[in-house]
């Protein structure tokens, strides 16, 4: 297995188990009276005396979550306490919690707010932000303050192309209706935005302006530079102009906040309210009450997160317990100490491969048998899923072209899988390494193609279960001492019943080998493996990887198809063979590769049919249609997808992938562009 960067499939936070409903209801009921009194007190007193502008303009929660067994929520609570002290003293603050993962936090009140209103606004933001826990990032825009936390340093960010947004909603009535007045209103808003941006950029990031019945406020965060402030406000200004004819608009960017309104919403004299001691005392009382509410919400969130984590850990241990009971009583069980000694305590000199799920080491058992020991990374729920796949699927099937699972160990500090050892390692080292182990001759290549096809045919229907591998590629084809191919790495494999036509599952696999209909829709059938096999066949015959541009002429599928159209398939064969191959047979195998990589799922042959075409030269082979070759710019080595989904942008290109078999080349290239854009968004 060649080193590669892979992001494994994992569950979304929305799928986590919920608190027991009775426990949750009891917890809420015990505090309901106090919470009701608190909010009655806030609404009756504070809002009648001042306006802390605690309306939520936007709340954004990130997607990533912390690794299991980390004290993320307690660290988050401490970070909020530090920010509270800074805001109470300075009107704003930023801090870093040097934990794993780290927490970078920022909170800031708008400059026109009084000290009391600032405390009220910040307290309100603290009660709402924990809704995003345990996600690693969140930001909340209130009309009087801003708060954000991340697992990376964002303090100098002025704009964010992905998450910057605009809010055109208004609490002051409908949009401007009169067309003539609307045109004038648009001009007034534009003038106001220009003026308030200029003033804020020159005035330490803050400015307010009134012009012809339109009021505006601009506020940059203290951590953003002057140039960054100007850039942020200019972008926000362009966006809020689009809100017209709405009576109100807000630009909500990474480094600033910009608002216009037909009603005056900001304070002329920020400290005016502090002149009245009675109001000040009420304000401090309210701030204390809201701080109590914030503490309550955080405690509740921490309890929930703890319960979820405990439930997941309990479930995983129960699953492992079942496996442990099963394999402790079978010949598949290995003692951890035995495998540790067999690999010289996992010495680096024994390491023969590295994958996304862990490292592989060469080991020698006490009886002298050489084995491959896969050392699994125990760092997330996906570990359990992949362990179950490897053990349950591979141990139940036996075929000469499938790597054989000899056993496992799950009682030690880490879990280990033991496989038969393939001394010639993986196919990609023969095909693509600069310093090739040896040059494979034509017969060896043909036998590897045939053996891999037979192994896949067995997976798809030769045993009691139907299994789809999902990650057929050269690095997952191991070669024994006789160069017999053995399909390996079943961590992503899926099995399904005979009455099922497909599975709907998260996208997983390696770009360049993934069937286009699976990449777009997530509907998995055996034909996804057929497509991957077709790409592999072309790579074996041509000696070139599909995941690279060749003389900027496009992907390997593109090149083979063009030569097929001009009846020059033999020109594709690996030059290392020096024309020592049967031209007719090589062209037939390449044509088979094109058949397997057709865009139409129905037109691809089954693996049983593939085996028949390879073993019976008299078997008629259909003519292939154009494959959905992709732009070489997106097919870069080691770009793998191991996630629960892909950006919804690809959905609008599905029709192109389901087009007729005579689709034009341009339509497929447009499809490829769409997939490239979706990948770029996902990486961001």
């Amino acid at each position: 297995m060649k080193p590669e960067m892979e992001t494994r499939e994992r569950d979304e936070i929305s799928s986590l188990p919920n608190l027991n409903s009775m426990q949750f209801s009891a917890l809420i009921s015990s505090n309901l009276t106090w919470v009701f009194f608190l909010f009655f007190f806030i609404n009756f007193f504070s809002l009648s005396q001042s306006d802390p502008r605690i309306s939520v303009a936007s709340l954004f929660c990130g997607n990533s979550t912390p690794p299991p067994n980390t004290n993320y929520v307690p660290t988050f609570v401490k970070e909020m306490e530090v920010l509270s002290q800074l805001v109470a003293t300075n009107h704003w603050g930023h801090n870093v919690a040097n934990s794993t993962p780290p927490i970078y936090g920022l909170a800031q009140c708008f400059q026109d707010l009084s000290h009391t209103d600032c405390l009220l606004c910040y307290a309100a933001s603290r009660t709402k932000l924990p809704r995003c826990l345990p996600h690693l990032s969140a930001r909340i825009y209130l009309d009087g303050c801003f708060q954000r936390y991340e697992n990376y340093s964002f303090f100098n960010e002025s704009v964010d192309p992905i998450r910057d947004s605009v809010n055109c909603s208004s609490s002051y009535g409908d949009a401007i209706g009169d067309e003539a007045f609307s045109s004038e209103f648009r001009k007034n808003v534009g003038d106001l935005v220009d003026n308030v941006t200029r003033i804020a950029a020159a005035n330490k990031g803050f400015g307010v302006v009134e012009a012809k019945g339109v009021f505006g406020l601009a506020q940059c965060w203290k951590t953003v530079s002057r140039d960054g402030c100007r850039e942020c406000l200019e972008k926000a200004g362009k966006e809020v102009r689009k809100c017209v004819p709405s009576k109100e608009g807000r630009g909500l960017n990474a480094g600033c906040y910009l608002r216009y309104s037909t009603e005056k919403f900001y304070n002329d004299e920020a400290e005016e309210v502090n002149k009245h001691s009675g109001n000040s005392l009420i304000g401090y009382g309210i701030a204390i009450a809201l701080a109590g509410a914030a503490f309550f919400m955080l405690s509740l969130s921490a309890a929930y997160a703890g319960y979820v984590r405990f439930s997941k850990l309990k479930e995983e241990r129960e699953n492992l317990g079942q496996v442990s009971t099963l394999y402790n009583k079978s010949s598949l069980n290995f003692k951890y100490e035995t495998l540790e000694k067999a690999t010289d305590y996992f010495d680096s000199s024994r390491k023969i491969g590295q994958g996304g799920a862990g490292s592989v080491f060469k080991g020698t058992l006490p009886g002298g048998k050489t084995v491959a020991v896969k050392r699994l990374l125990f760092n997330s729920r996906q570990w359990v899923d992949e362990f179950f796949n490897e053990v349950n699927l591979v141990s139940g099937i036996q075929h000469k072209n499938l790597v054989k699972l000899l056993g496992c160990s799950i009682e030690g500090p880490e879990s280990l899988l033991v496989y038969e050892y393939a001394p010639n390692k993986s196919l990609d080292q023969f095909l693509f390494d600069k310093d090739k182990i040896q040059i494979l001759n034509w017969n060896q290549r043909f036998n590897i193609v045939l053996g891999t096809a037979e192994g896949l045919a067995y997976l798809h229907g030769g045993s009691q279960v139907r299994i789809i591998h999902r990650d057929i590629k050269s690095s997952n084809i191991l070669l024994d001492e006789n160069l017999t191919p053995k399909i390996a790495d079943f961590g992503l494999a899926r099995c399904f019943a005979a009455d099922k036509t497909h599975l709907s599952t998260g996208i997983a696999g390696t770009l360049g080998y993934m069937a286009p209909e699976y990449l777009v829709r997530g509907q998995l059938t055996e034909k996804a493996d057929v497509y991957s096999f077709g790409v592999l066949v072309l790579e074996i015959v041509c000696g070139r990887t599909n995941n690279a541009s060749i003389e900027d002429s496009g992907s390997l599928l593109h090149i083979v198809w063009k030569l097929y159209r001009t009846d020059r398939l033999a020109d594709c064969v690996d030059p290392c063979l020096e024309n020592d191959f049967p031209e007719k047979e090589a062209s037939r195998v390449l044509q088979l590769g094109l058949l397997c990589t057709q865009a139409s799922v129905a037109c691809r042959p089954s693996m049983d049919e593939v085996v028949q075409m390879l073993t019976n030269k008299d078997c008629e082979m259909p003519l292939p249609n154009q494959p959905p070759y992709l732009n070489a710019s997106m097919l870069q080595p080691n770009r793998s997808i191991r996630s629960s989904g892909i950006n919804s942008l690809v959905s609008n290109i599905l029709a192109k992938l389901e087009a007729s078999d005579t689709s034009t080349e341009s339509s497929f290239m447009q499809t490829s562009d769409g997939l490239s854009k979706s990948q770029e968004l996902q990486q961001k």
Side-chain angles (χ1 to χ4, degrees):
M1 282 174 289
K2 199 172 184 178
E4 60 179 272
M5 298 175 59
E6 295 176 332
T7 305
R8 292 283 182 175
E9 195 172 11
R10 59 189 76 222
D11 296 331
E12 296 293 335
I13 193 65
S14 59
S15 64
L16 295 178
N18 294 323
L19 280 170
N20 179 283
S21 58
M22 294 182 64
Q23 294 174 333
F24 189 82
S25 298
L27 185 60
I28 293 295
S29 298
S30 64
N31 294 279
L32 190 58
T33 304
W34 177 82
V35 173
F36 174 80
F37 172 77
L38 170 66
F39 281 94
F40 173 81
F41 183 76
I42 293 171
N43 291 328
F44 185 79
F45 287 100
S46 69
L47 298 183
S48 65
Q49 299 294 335
S50 62
D51 182 11
R53 302 205 298 271
I54 60 174
S55 297
V56 178
S58 177
L59 171 62
F60 171 82
C61 302
N63 294 322
S64 57
T65 56
N69 304 321
T70 57
N71 296 321
Y72 186 76
V73 173
T75 305
F76 175 85
V77 174
K78 292 180 181 179
E79 175 70 3
M80 294 303 104
E81 291 174 353
V82 173
L83 289 180
S84 296
Q85 297 173 359
L86 294 173
V87 170
T89 303
N90 304 317
H91 226 62
W92 79 286
H94 68 298
N95 189 61
V96 180
N98 293 317
S99 55
T100 304
I103 301 178
Y104 294 79
L106 168 68
Q108 181 171 332
C109 295
F110 297 167
Q111 195 165 316
D112 67 307
L113 284 190
S114 67
H115 184 69
T116 300
D117 286 348
C118 175
L119 293 177
L120 291 171
C121 191
Y122 173 72
S125 70
R126 273 193 65 178
T127 64
K128 296 176 175 63
L129 202 62
R131 298 176 188 174
C132 293
L133 289 174
H135 293 288
L136 293 175
S137 64
R139 62 183 74 174
I140 184 170
Y141 299 83
L142 274 64
D143 283 332
C145 58
F146 170 78
Q147 191 172 2
R148 178 182 179 184
Y149 71 88
E150 301 279 357
N151 62 339
Y152 69 93
S153 180
F154 63 90
F155 298 135
N156 293 326
E157 282 187 8
S158 57
V159 295
D160 183 341
I162 302 298
R163 300 181 181 91
D164 286 350
S165 62
V166 62
N167 183 338
C168 300
S169 63
S170 174
S171 58
Y172 300 124
D174 299 330
I176 303 297
D178 182 79
E179 184 174 349
F181 185 68
S182 177
S183 177
E184 182 181 357
F185 179 64
R186 184 181 303 276
K187 181 179 182 304
N188 292 341
V189 169
D191 292 341
L192 178 134
V193 166
D194 291 339
N195 288 335
V196 78
T197 298
R198 175 178 50 79
I199 292 172
N203 190 35
K204 298 181 179 180
F206 176 77
V208 292
V209 169
E210 185 275 328
K212 298 180 181 179
V214 186
F215 301 85
L217 177 147
Q219 177 72 67
C220 293
W221 318 140
K222 298 284 188 179
T223 55
V224 177
S225 67
R226 181 172 178 176
D227 290 339
C229 176
R230 181 181 294 104
E231 177 189 13
C232 182
L233 291 176
E234 287 176 352
K235 180 183 178 184
K238 292 179 181 178
E239 295 301 317
V240 298
R241 284 180 172 90
K242 299 176 184 177
C243 289
V244 177
S246 175
K247 292 185 177 181
E248 194 161 38
R250 302 172 182 84
L252 311 169
N253 288 357
C256 65
Y257 169 101
L258 177 65
R259 179 183 178 186
Y260 80 82
S261 176
T262 56
E263 299 289 333
K264 185 176 180 181
F265 58 89
Y266 54 80
N267 300 318
D268 286 328
E269 299 179 14
E271 299 300 327
E272 179 67 22
V273 84
N274 287 331
K275 295 180 180 179
H276 305 284
S277 59
N279 291 348
S280 180
L281 290 175
I282 291 175
Y284 281 114
I286 296 167
I288 293 172
L290 278 174
F295 178 77
F296 166 72
M297 293 295 293
L298 287 171
S299 300
L300 185 61
S301 298
Y304 173 76
Y307 178 83
V308 166
R309 186 170 297 159
F310 174 77
S311 299
K312 288 181 66 179
L313 188 59
K314 182 180 178 182
E315 179 184 354
E316 291 171 2
R317 285 176 175 172
E318 289 176 351
N319 289 337
L320 290 177
Q322 296 173 5
V323 176
S324 177
T325 302
L326 175 64
Y327 287 97
N328 281 339
K329 298 178 181 179
S330 74
S331 60
L332 291 173
N333 182 53
F334 280 84
K335 289 185 178 181
Y336 180 84
E337 294 78 9
T338 300
L339 299 178
E340 192 177 34
K341 293 178 181 178
T343 58
D344 290 339
Y345 300 92
F346 303 106
D347 187 87
S348 59
S349 63
R350 290 269 190 164
K351 189 173 181 179
I352 57 176
Q354 174 70 50
S359 305
V360 182
F361 294 82
K362 181 180 179 181
T364 305
L365 297 178
K369 184 179 180 63
T370 302
V371 296
V373 180
K374 189 174 184 178
R375 192 182 192 186
L376 295 175
L377 296 174
F378 183 41
N379 61 356
S380 69
R381 182 182 178 85
Q382 56 86 18
W383 173 88
V384 175
D385 295 335
E386 298 196 6
F387 181 86
F388 269 59
N389 271 344
E390 295 271 5
V391 173
N392 291 345
L393 294 182
V394 183
S395 64
I397 54 177
Q398 300 262 343
H399 190 272
K400 64 183 179 67
N401 296 117
L402 303 179
V403 69
K404 185 177 181 180
L405 177 69
L406 303 178
C408 64
S409 170
I410 60 175
E411 297 300 326
E414 57 196 341
S415 292
L416 307 173
L417 293 170
V418 184
Y419 290 99
E420 62 176 320
Y421 177 66
N424 280 312
K425 300 182 180 180
S426 57
L427 175 61
D428 61 322
Q429 298 182 50
F430 284 84
L431 296 176
F432 310 132
D433 277 6
K434 293 181 179 179
D435 301 322
K436 293 182 175 67
I437 299 174
Q438 72 179 70
I439 303 299
L440 297 173
N441 62 38
W442 172 254
N443 287 333
Q444 291 169 333
R445 295 182 195 226
F446 183 85
N447 289 333
I448 290 171
V449 169
L450 176 58
T452 304
E454 291 175 338
L456 277 175
Y458 181 80
L459 286 176
H460 291 177
S463 62
Q464 295 180 348
V465 293
R466 296 163 61 198
I467 299 174
I468 303 176
H469 188 279
R470 287 209 298 175
D471 203 18
I472 294 297
K473 57 183 177 180
S474 57
S475 59
N476 284 338
I477 306 299
L478 304 184
L479 302 175
D480 68 6
E481 62 276 5
N482 298 317
L483 295 179
T484 301
K486 295 181 180 292
I487 300 172
D489 195 348
F490 287 78
L492 294 180
R494 291 291 181 268
C495 63
F496 57 102
D499 59 345
K500 295 285 187 181
T501 59
H502 68 272
L503 288 176
S504 294
T505 181
I507 306 301
T510 304
L511 285 175
Y513 298 88
M514 296 173 67
E517 79 285 347
Y518 172 51
L519 180 62
V520 171
R521 179 177 283 171
Q523 290 190 345
L524 183 65
T525 69
E526 293 98 331
K527 295 300 181 73
D529 277 353
V530 174
Y531 181 92
S532 303
F533 172 79
V535 175
L536 178 65
V537 167
L538 299 182
E539 290 185 332
I540 292 173
V541 177
C542 300
R544 300 168 173 174
T545 175
N546 189 48
N547 286 345
S549 173
I550 304 172
E551 298 176 356
D552 297 324
S553 56
S555 71
L556 179 59
L557 271 67
H558 186 186
I559 293 171
V560 175
W561 173 254
K562 287 196 299 184
L563 291 175
Y564 168 77
R565 292 288 300 273
T566 56
D567 198 24
R568 293 186 296 128
L569 272 179
D571 293 349
C572 298
V573 179
D574 191 346
C576 293
L577 293 178
E578 297 179 346
N579 294 321
D580 185 14
F581 60 90
E583 182 175 330
K584 185 176 180 180
E585 185 177 58
S587 298
R588 182 177 172 85
V589 174
L590 286 168
Q591 183 176 335
L592 177 62
L594 291 175
L595 276 174
C596 293
T597 55
Q598 293 176 102
S600 172
V601 179
C603 290
R604 292 178 209 150
S606 67
M607 289 310 304
D608 281 332
E609 292 171 330
V610 168
V611 172
Q612 188 176 6
M613 293 178 196
L614 288 170
T615 55
N616 184 0
K617 295 182 180 180
D618 295 328
C619 178
E620 184 178 353
M621 184 177 294
L623 298 178
N625 296 300
Q626 178 176 305
Y629 52 82
L630 305 179
N631 283 349
S633 60
M634 76 170 287
L635 300 176
Q636 297 174 4
N638 304 329
R639 290 183 62 175
S640 298
I641 300 178
R642 301 273 174 121
S643 64
S644 58
I646 194 169
N647 194 285
S648 61
L649 176 64
V650 297
S651 61
N652 65 3
I653 63 170
L654 181 58
K656 296 177 182 177
L657 291 173
E658 295 177 337
S660 65
D661 295 338
T662 57
S663 297
T664 62
E665 178 174 326
S666 62
S667 69
F668 282 108
M669 293 309 292
Q670 290 168 1
T671 294
S672 306
D673 292 339
L675 291 173
S676 298
K677 291 175 182 176
S678 71
Q679 275 306 107
E680 292 169 2
L681 288 175
Q682 188 185 44
Q683 287 186 329
K684 290 178 182 177

